Amino acid sequence: MTTNPRNDVNNGVKVQTRAKERERIVRAADSVDRVYAAIKEFAIDYRFRPGEKINEVELATELGVSRTPVRAALNRLQRDGFVASVPNKGFYARELTPEAVRDLYELRAAIERAAFVLACERATDTEIQATVDAWTKHSSLKGEGSWAKVAVADESFHMALTQLSKNAQMVNALEGLCSRIRFFRRIDLESMPRRSHSYQEHEAIIDALRRRDAAGGAALVEKHITLSSAHAMEVAARGLARIFFGTTA
Amino acid sequence: MTTNPRNDVNNGVKVQTRAKERERIVRAADSVDRVYAAIKEFAIDYRFRPGEKINEVELATELGVSRTPVRAALNRLQRDGFVASVPNKGFYARELTPEAVRDLYELRAAIERAAFVLACERATDTEIQATVDAWTKHSSLKGEGSWAKVAVADESFHMALTQLSKNAQMVNALEGLCSRIRFFRRIDLESMPRRSHSYQEHEAIIDALRRRDAAGGAALVEKHITLSSAHAMEVAARGLARIFFGTTA
DNA sequence: AAATCACAAAGTGAGTACACTTTAGAAGGT
DNA sequence: ACCTTCTAAAGTGTACTCACTTTGTGATTT
């Protein structure tokens, strides 16, 4: 933490504007959003170690702002599930447990499954085609893409699929969920035997959607997403290793 | 708003403690939690009208605190989906639209369905029995209970059922969802033709759970929860009427 | 020597201050 | 009469301040 100084989020913020012919420093006005994004990114990557106490003044100085926006951001992140607050003690980073990993994936599977069923009855052929196109475009750089890019493409495919449900609440919930899962999804993708596995399953899901096969597709989605408890344990273990040792294995 | 003064949340807060043989005023220390709860309750009941601008100073004075804890609470409530924030303008209360009602119910159905499936394989017979007992105890005061009590019992049954999944993330997500749905659920329950309908469906769900009939029970849960678009529209309309006219119809 | 108490340092929690933004209303021009 | 512009009031956003809580360290007592 202290050895890994965070980037100053304040870059280029002290915008200058003219008022009454004189230039003045303008306040940030949206510090909270930037601070929120910065801290969230840290939390997503577990650059706060699991359960770690978060020091407000330290964080504030590192981000170049006062404690006020930091606290505001932490309050938001609390409801996002990234930090927990204990009265008179402060904020603590989220934990990392195999159960949490498994539970998050199960919840994600539940939402995406339901979204798929809704998509089958609500998405137009054109919309489906657009989603497929976006996916194939991404997946065309299959061989060359780095793992990070693959992960991005995978997540945006699933998000796009969910958007076809026309259910804003599901999309919203899934977004929050994905940000909490992202760290694990990367690890999971990287440790996959062959990348093509995932691609083939996506193809099958697309096919079911085209045929409006709600039941069949729902089963595919569920299976595609859900992690076994053993697998969740493995992912969690790899995650911990990465956090504490920085290893890729 | 201004005509409906909110209850002072600060009751009995200025606790007195002795330090060095002298009594002193002790700070609130957890104002945020109380303010958060107070504002949330207001938001749940739509005592902020849909889309209404929320005045921080007004709210703060009504709650007997400064703007600081109010803003903290609003930041949390933003991620809870109760308020939205626009930079340099402030916070606005959530909207009320038929689509939102429908979407929320669909999401809830998705989560409870998945939780039921998991419960079928994870809940012990004893746990199931405990849940059933709690439900029957509640439902025994079927005839006499007010609508409010019925709504509480209904919600706690569904929560208890979901807890059998042993999936903390689902439970957590459902809690947030239920608080956002509560206003509509009350309306929905009150406008139900006969209360016994709901009871019978609960019985059927319990029966499926006892038989570990995941597929059958899942279908029952989905059907029990999901609102048709038409029904959602009706509930939303009734909701608006209640908010703006205070009518029960 | 171990446990308890006292004290000091660090950190959180809420209130306050002030600068900036927005908005509404009045004055002036077209 | 309508639109524009200026101005003042209201309200938001952030920094700052200070009181209280927690925690760790050292001294005192048993």
Side-chain angles (χ1 to χ4, degrees):
Chain A
M1 267 243 323
T2 327
T3 56
N4 279 343
R6 298 172 183 94
N7 288 334
D8 192 329
V9 75
N10 223 5
N11 281 342
V13 163
K14 295 279 184 188
V15 190
Q16 297 198 316
T17 188
R18 77 200 66 246
K20 304 195 177 186
E21 293 182 355
R22 243 195 332 187
E23 297 193 352
R24 289 183 310 170
I25 304 288
V26 141
R27 77 154 163 200
D30 60 339
S31 292
V32 186
D33 289 333
R34 292 176 298 107
V35 169
Y36 171 76
I39 301 181
K40 186 172 179 179
E41 203 152 323
F42 252 78
I44 285 175
D45 297 338
Y46 271 105
R47 299 193 57 179
F48 299 115
R49 305 240 270 260
E52 173 185 343
K53 170 120 203 307
I54 296 175
N55 187 321
E56 297 175 8
V57 290
E58 190 182 344
L59 201 48
T61 47
E62 282 176 12
L63 296 174
V65 293
S66 80
R67 275 174 60 218
T68 309
V70 170
R71 283 178 68 81
L74 287 172
N75 271 303
R76 293 189 193 173
L77 288 165
Q78 181 186 357
R79 304 307 301 175
D80 284 332
F82 282 110
V83 302
S85 103
V86 180
N88 277 324
K89 304 257 283 323
F91 293 91
Y92 294 82
R94 62 173 169 165
E95 300 284 353
L96 192 168
T97 65
E99 297 78 38
V101 174
R102 187 202 61 178
D103 290 359
L104 284 167
Y105 270 89
E106 283 172 355
L107 178 53
R108 182 186 149 209
I111 294 175
E112 287 203 37
R113 178 201 190 279
F116 179 88
V117 173
L118 292 175
C120 280
E121 61 186 43
R122 287 184 191 157
T124 66
D125 289 340
T126 321
E127 288 167 340
I128 293 176
Q129 193 52 46
T131 305
V132 173
D133 288 345
W135 164 245
T136 47
K137 203 191 73 183
H138 264 132
S139 67
S140 64
L141 28 100
K142 184 191 290 199
E144 73 214 61
S146 67
W147 284 118
K149 281 183 185 168
V150 173
V152 169
D154 183 66
E155 183 171 324
S156 58
F157 169 71
H158 282 273
M159 285 307 306
L161 206 60
T162 302
Q163 274 160 357
L164 294 180
S165 70
K166 314 267 176 88
N167 184 314
Q169 303 298 331
M170 287 190 185
V171 172
N172 191 47
L174 189 63
E175 264 168 5
L177 211 45
C178 277
S179 62
R180 286 206 285 167
I181 285 183
R182 198 165 300 147
F183 181 77
F184 308 111
R185 173 132 58 161
R186 289 222 158 84
I187 289 173
D188 185 37
L189 277 175
E190 292 177 17
S191 65
M192 250 179 154
R194 281 172 313 140
R195 215 181 271 192
S196 52
H197 236 116
S198 184
Y199 284 101
Q200 284 166 5
E201 291 182 4
H202 283 196
E203 300 290 348
I205 290 170
I206 289 170
D207 192 52
L209 178 59
R210 279 215 176 96
R211 296 196 324 270
R212 313 282 175 174
D213 177 11
L220 287 175
V221 170
E222 260 187 321
K223 194 173 179 211
H224 173 61
I225 294 173
T226 306
L227 250 50
S228 69
S229 288
H231 195 168
M233 168 69 95
E234 196 188 309
V235 168
R238 282 176 194 270
L240 285 177
R242 172 165 308 186
I243 293 166
F244 286 95
F245 313 143
T247 58
T248 317
Chain B
M1 270 241 328
T2 327
T3 57
N4 279 343
R6 297 169 183 98
N7 288 334
D8 192 330
V9 75
N10 223 6
N11 280 341
V13 164
K14 295 282 182 184
V15 190
Q16 298 198 318
T17 190
R18 77 202 65 246
K20 304 197 176 182
E21 293 182 357
R22 246 199 327 191
E23 298 192 352
R24 289 184 310 169
I25 303 289
V26 140
R27 77 153 163 197
D30 58 340
S31 292
V32 187
D33 289 333
R34 293 176 298 105
V35 168
Y36 172 76
I39 302 180
K40 187 173 179 177
E41 203 152 322
F42 251 78
I44 285 174
D45 297 337
Y46 272 104
R47 298 193 58 178
F48 299 115
R49 304 239 272 261
E52 174 185 344
K53 170 121 204 303
I54 296 175
N55 188 322
E56 296 175 10
V57 290
E58 192 181 342
L59 201 49
T61 48
E62 281 174 12
L63 296 175
V65 294
S66 79
R67 278 175 57 218
T68 309
V70 171
R71 283 179 67 82
L74 288 172
N75 272 303
R76 293 189 194 173
L77 288 165
Q78 182 186 357
R79 305 308 300 174
D80 284 330
F82 282 111
V83 303
S85 103
V86 179
N88 277 325
K89 304 255 294 301
F91 293 91
Y92 294 82
R94 63 172 168 164
E95 301 284 352
L96 192 169
T97 65
E99 296 78 37
V101 175
R102 186 202 63 179
D103 289 0
L104 286 168
Y105 271 89
E106 283 173 354
L107 178 52
R108 182 187 148 209
I111 294 174
E112 288 203 37
R113 177 200 191 281
F116 179 89
V117 173
L118 292 176
C120 280
E121 61 186 44
R122 288 183 191 157
T124 66
D125 288 341
T126 322
E127 289 167 340
I128 293 175
Q129 193 53 46
T131 305
V132 173
D133 288 346
W135 165 243
T136 49
K137 203 192 73 182
H138 263 132
S139 67
S140 64
L141 26 101
K142 184 192 290 196
E144 72 215 61
S146 67
W147 285 118
K149 281 183 186 168
V150 174
V152 170
D154 183 66
E155 184 171 323
S156 57
F157 169 72
H158 282 274
M159 284 307 307
L161 206 61
T162 302
Q163 273 158 358
L164 295 180
S165 72
K166 315 268 176 87
N167 183 315
Q169 303 298 330
M170 286 189 186
V171 172
N172 190 48
L174 189 63
E175 265 168 5
L177 212 43
C178 277
S179 63
R180 287 206 283 166
I181 285 182
R182 199 165 299 146
F183 181 77
F184 308 111
R185 174 133 55 163
R186 289 219 159 86
I187 290 174
D188 185 37
L189 278 175
E190 291 176 19
S191 66
M192 248 176 156
R194 279 171 315 140
R195 217 181 270 192
S196 52
H197 237 116
S198 184
Y199 285 101
Q200 286 166 4
E201 291 183 2
H202 282 196
E203 300 291 351
I205 290 169
I206 289 169
D207 192 52
L209 179 59
R210 279 214 177 95
R211 298 196 323 272
R212 313 282 175 173
D213 177 11
L220 287 174
V221 169
E222 259 187 322
K223 190 169 181 214
H224 174 61
I225 294 172
T226 306
L227 250 50
S228 70
S229 288
H231 195 168
M233 167 70 95
E234 197 187 309
V235 169
R238 282 176 194 270
L240 286 176
R242 172 166 306 187
I243 292 167
F244 286 96
F245 312 144
T247 58
T248 316

